[in-house]
Amino acid sequence: MLLLLLLQVLASCLWLGHSEVVTSFESSCPQFFFRETPPNEALEPKNPAWICQRYKNQYYFATLYDRDRRIPVYSAYLYQPGPGKRPKTWLVEPQLMGPTYPKTMEREWTLLNYFNVSLEQLSKSQAMLQDYKNLTGLNRGHLNPSSHHPDSSSRTATFTLTNIVPQDEKLNGGAWNNYEQQTMTRRTQGCNTTYVIVGAVPGNNYIAKGRVNKPSHIWSSACCEVDTNHRKAWAVIAENDKNEVQLLTLGELEDVLTQLYGRDQVSLFHSSCPRE
């Protein structure tokens, strides 16, 4: 009994952070969306999970996750870049296995050794580190990049596999990286607050023996508040096998995503964000 108690205490010390699978972003972590308005239902997969990504008792971003394809649909966050090192620890989401598991963003190792979780249990609910090993021509591509955050905790929170897709390595290290580091810096000049939503369109191919979908496209959109009366918006999209990024208006991206998904008209931001 004493040994079990000691193990539980040790496990609690190893907890790296918190994230919750919730019923809606509006009621749980609306602050990452302009005017607390998430994208509409046109992007929702058949088996979605809404995750408020929390670390050290603070929410850092929101992710809509596709349980069946084991990739995020999109991640939403506030653009607040700052200097700092790139984290090295990868985390997973225990609550994707069920609500009885901890509301914690955890290392696989911690779950397997201290919470009596099997690899099979974990692998059924989400992508794992093993799925991203021995990739050819692909990287673990962040939707919400660590470099867009101001401190160690916020950057570490982005290193969850629920925020990762298989991304073309040339695109990830080339044109997409240029957009994240250079174009975003230029475009956000004069912005007081910039709301960002980055997403992935499911493709027809998979990695890890059919477990994890390889998106056909990666996209990003931003709505910036210059002041209380002025806003500006922009967007990009890239095919996930070419090192090219196409700059679009927000309205153009929403129309492209509507065509790619083939469902209802896509709306990414509150209607007061300019579409032109």
Side-chain angles (χ1 to χ4, degrees):
M1 190 67 186
L2 179 61
L3 178 60
L4 179 60
L5 181 61
L6 286 172
L7 286 174
Q8 288 174 334
V9 170
L10 178 59
S12 68
C13 293
L14 290 169
W15 287 3
L16 287 172
H18 300 267
S19 53
E20 288 180 65
V21 174
V22 300
T23 55
S24 80
F25 292 137
E26 290 95 333
S27 61
S28 302
C29 52
Q31 65 268 35
F32 303 111
F33 303 94
F34 176 65
R35 296 197 173 172
E36 301 189 348
T37 304
N40 67 349
E41 296 177 355
L43 297 179
E44 285 183 15
K46 289 181 179 179
N47 193 5
W50 292 266
I51 306 172
C52 291
Q53 306 277 15
R54 192 171 69 182
Y55 181 78
K56 294 184 177 177
N57 295 320
Q58 182 175 340
Y59 289 133
Y60 284 107
F61 65 106
T63 300
L64 178 62
Y65 191 73
D66 187 334
R67 296 173 182 268
D68 294 336
R69 296 183 177 94
R70 298 185 178 89
I71 58 170
V73 178
Y74 62 75
S75 287
Y77 62 96
L78 299 178
Y79 176 75
Q80 299 171 312
K85 294 181 180 178
R86 180 180 170 90
K88 295 181 180 179
T89 301
W90 287 96
L91 309 172
V92 292
E93 175 49 68
Q95 282 215 321
L96 287 174
M97 293 184 291
T100 58
Y101 290 93
K103 298 177 180 179
T104 59
M105 194 188 290
E106 291 286 359
R107 290 178 293 180
E108 287 182 13
W109 184 90
T110 304
L111 289 174
L112 297 175
N113 287 276
Y114 293 102
F115 289 95
N116 199 30
V117 172
S118 68
L119 276 173
E120 184 180 7
Q121 275 179 291
L122 188 58
S123 67
K124 282 181 179 178
S125 68
Q126 61 201 281
M128 301 173 59
L129 284 170
Q130 183 64 38
D131 295 324
Y132 283 91
K133 288 185 176 177
N134 304 315
L135 294 179
T136 301
L138 296 169
N139 288 157
R140 285 176 283 202
H142 283 73
L143 294 191
N144 176 4
S146 64
S147 61
H148 285 187
H149 296 273
D151 54 44
S152 176
S153 293
S154 54
R155 286 191 292 271
T156 299
T158 68
F159 268 66
T160 166
L161 294 182
T162 54
N163 181 45
I164 299 297
V165 297
Q167 186 174 16
D168 181 90
E169 63 179 1
K170 291 181 179 177
L171 174 64
N172 190 28
W176 194 260
N177 183 66
N178 290 342
Y179 172 73
E180 289 179 337
Q181 307 306 327
Q182 298 173 23
T183 308
M184 280 292 288
T185 301
R186 291 195 305 269
R187 287 266 169 170
T188 53
Q189 292 298 311
C191 295
N192 282 325
T193 306
T194 303
Y195 297 85
V196 184
I197 302 176
V198 186
V201 180
N204 296 320
N205 298 312
Y206 284 76
I207 65 166
K209 298 179 180 177
R211 280 181 38 80
V212 179
N213 186 267
K214 178 194 169 188
S216 63
H217 297 75
I218 314 292
W219 55 269
S220 180
S221 58
C223 182
C224 137
E225 288 185 298
V226 179
D227 55 42
T228 54
N229 298 315
H230 298 89
R231 288 164 293 282
K232 58 181 180 178
W234 61 91
V236 292
I237 193 165
E239 294 181 54
N240 196 21
D241 57 2
K242 296 178 182 177
N243 187 19
E244 298 175 14
V245 169
Q246 183 181 5
L247 187 62
L248 304 171
T249 66
L250 175 57
E252 286 172 339
L253 175 62
E254 290 176 334
D255 288 343
V256 170
L257 293 177
T258 300
Q259 292 178 345
L260 289 171
Y261 276 84
R263 304 207 294 252
D264 295 337
Q265 175 67 38
V266 170
S267 176
L268 298 175
F269 289 97
H270 185 276
S271 59
S272 60
C273 280
R275 263 54 187 183
E276 296 301 321

